[in-house]
Amino acid sequence: MSDLSITISAEKPGDAQAIERLHERTFGPGRFVLSAYRLREHVDHLLELSFTAHIGTLLVGSVRQLPICVGDTKALILGPLTVEPPFRKHGIGRMLMERSIADARTQGHRFILLVGDAAYYTRVGFKPVPKGRATMPGPVDYNRLLVNELVEGAFDGVSGEIRPDWDYAR
């Protein structure tokens, strides 16, 4: 893989169908019952914080972020993040996350949440959300609810229900 050039670029509206097919292949139909998908039902992801990975013209990965609130505090939720199985373990997911996190910081966002594997996501600055500080719609393993403070202390004192940011409702 080292001889292949990976291009990370901003997601474009025309990428939507290819990304949806990627999600179908990598997550399957069960993805729609996950709590994070409950948030995505009413609010679209932010194109300016969503990225694709290509090798040549082949889309091999995607990351999206969408606007949420934790209580009354505006935030982002990262996901889904996915890479085509044959191209995993080559750093593509990390490149997508690093770009998305860096751009969120540059655009003035304060913190990002996600539901995922702490061992994987702590490498890019995520840490567990303190127990009881935030609740998701529907069932979730709260051991997998993570936060990345883009501004030191940004999550201090934040608590409440995680919900779509209705300012971005469809």
Side-chain angles (χ1 to χ4, degrees), residues 9 28-29 65 68 71 79 93 119 131 133:
S9 56
Q65 292 204 60
I68 61 165
K131 299 286 186 240
R133 290 271 303 278

Side-chain angles (χ1 to χ4, degrees), residues 67-78:
I68 61 165
C69 291
V70 181
D72 292 327
T73 305
K74 291 184 177 292
L76 298 168
I77 192 162
L78 188 141

Side-chain angles (χ1 to χ4, degrees), residues 26-87:
T26 57
F27 296 121
R31 69 191 182 279
F32 295 112
V33 300
L34 300 173
S35 290
Y37 273 88
R38 299 282 68 84
L39 296 169
R40 295 181 190 114
E41 290 177 339
H42 306 289
V43 176
D44 287 328
H45 61 283
L46 301 171
L47 281 176
E48 66 270 18
L49 293 174
S50 300
F51 297 89
T52 58
H54 286 83
I55 297 175
T57 60
L58 179 65
L59 183 134
V60 297
S62 168
V63 65
R64 289 176 164 171
Q65 292 204 60
L66 93 133
I68 61 165
C69 291
V70 181
D72 292 327
T73 305
K74 291 184 177 292
L76 298 168
I77 192 162
L78 188 141
L81 165 70
T82 190
V83 175
E84 288 281 9
F87 297 99

Side-chain angles (χ1 to χ4, degrees), residues 21 46 61 68 76 116 147-150:
R21 285 193 306 266
L46 301 171
I68 61 165
L76 298 168
V147 62
N148 186 331
E149 293 178 304
L150 305 177

Side-chain angles (χ1 to χ4, degrees), residues 39 68-71 77 113 134-137 142 145 160-164:
L39 296 169
I68 61 165
C69 291
V70 181
I77 192 162
L113 293 177
T135 57
M136 292 281 290
Y142 284 98
L145 184 59
E161 178 186 359
I162 299 168
R163 60 177 175 78

Side-chain angles (χ1 to χ4, degrees), residues 67-155:
I68 61 165
C69 291
V70 181
D72 292 327
T73 305
K74 291 184 177 292
L76 298 168
I77 192 162
L78 188 141
L81 165 70
T82 190
V83 175
E84 288 281 9
F87 297 99
R88 291 182 181 166
K89 307 242 186 252
H90 296 283
I92 295 171
R94 185 174 186 143
M95 286 189 285
L96 285 163
M97 279 192 300
E98 287 175 347
R99 174 69 186 275
S100 191
I101 292 166
D103 280 27
R105 182 177 284 115
T106 299
Q107 291 179 28
H109 295 278
R110 298 182 49 79
F111 66 89
I112 302 169
L113 293 177
L114 65 74
V115 179
D117 179 37
Y120 180 77
Y121 291 102
T122 55
R123 299 180 290 169
V124 293
F126 284 89
K127 62 185 179 185
V129 168
K131 299 286 186 240
R133 290 271 303 278
T135 57
M136 292 281 290
V140 69
D141 178 353
Y142 284 98
N143 293 317
R144 296 172 53 85
L145 184 59
L146 309 174
V147 62
N148 186 331
E149 293 178 304
L150 305 177
V151 175
E152 188 175 338
F155 197 67

